Amino acid sequence: TGVQDVCSSDLLKADSTNIELHFIHLNLLKKSQQWPKALKKCEKLISLQPQNPRWLFEMSDVFGVMGDSVNAKVYLDLAIKTQKSVQ
């Protein structure tokens, strides 16, 4: 939690649009099984890069781990559709 606190407070407040920092923070949240916070982080990444299917796949993954298969499928389908439109 010390690393997460630094990531979430100081660095992210300093540059709230830094994709790499948000991605690192997402991975820390997932590693520590903070699923609701991980979902919010996915939402932030999607808002910063709506055409990046990676964040939709991440969102699907988090929903899946949380046992929400309906939303996991919704985001998986959306990720696949987005990936096809980007290619």
Side-chain angles (χ1 to χ4, degrees), residues 13-74:
K13 284 180 187 170
D15 186 0
S16 65
T17 61
N18 187 314
I19 298 293
E20 189 175 339
L21 284 179
H22 283 291
F23 181 57
I24 291 167
H25 192 211
L26 171 62
N27 285 321
L28 290 169
L29 292 168
K30 288 171 66 178
K31 191 171 192 123
S32 60
Q33 299 181 355
Q34 296 183 52
W35 306 119
K37 288 182 180 180
L39 284 178
K40 288 196 180 301
K41 187 56 59 178
C42 288
E43 289 170 357
K44 177 67 176 179
L45 285 160
I46 291 167
S47 76
L48 292 171
Q49 287 186 330
Q51 296 304 312
N52 187 338
R54 172 71 187 263
W55 314 136
L56 298 166
F57 280 115
E58 292 285 350
M59 188 85 139
S60 173
D61 182 53
V62 173
F63 273 123
V65 171
M66 292 175 70
D68 185 342
S69 59
V70 172
N71 277 316
K73 173 124 176 55
V74 166

Side-chain angles (χ1 to χ4, degrees), residues 50-54 56-57 75-87:
Q51 296 304 312
N52 187 338
R54 172 71 187 263
L56 298 166
F57 280 115
Y75 279 92
L76 179 61
D77 291 345
L78 190 55
I80 292 167
K81 182 179 174 183
T82 302
Q83 188 170 31
K84 286 179 182 176
S85 71
V86 171
Q87 291 176 342

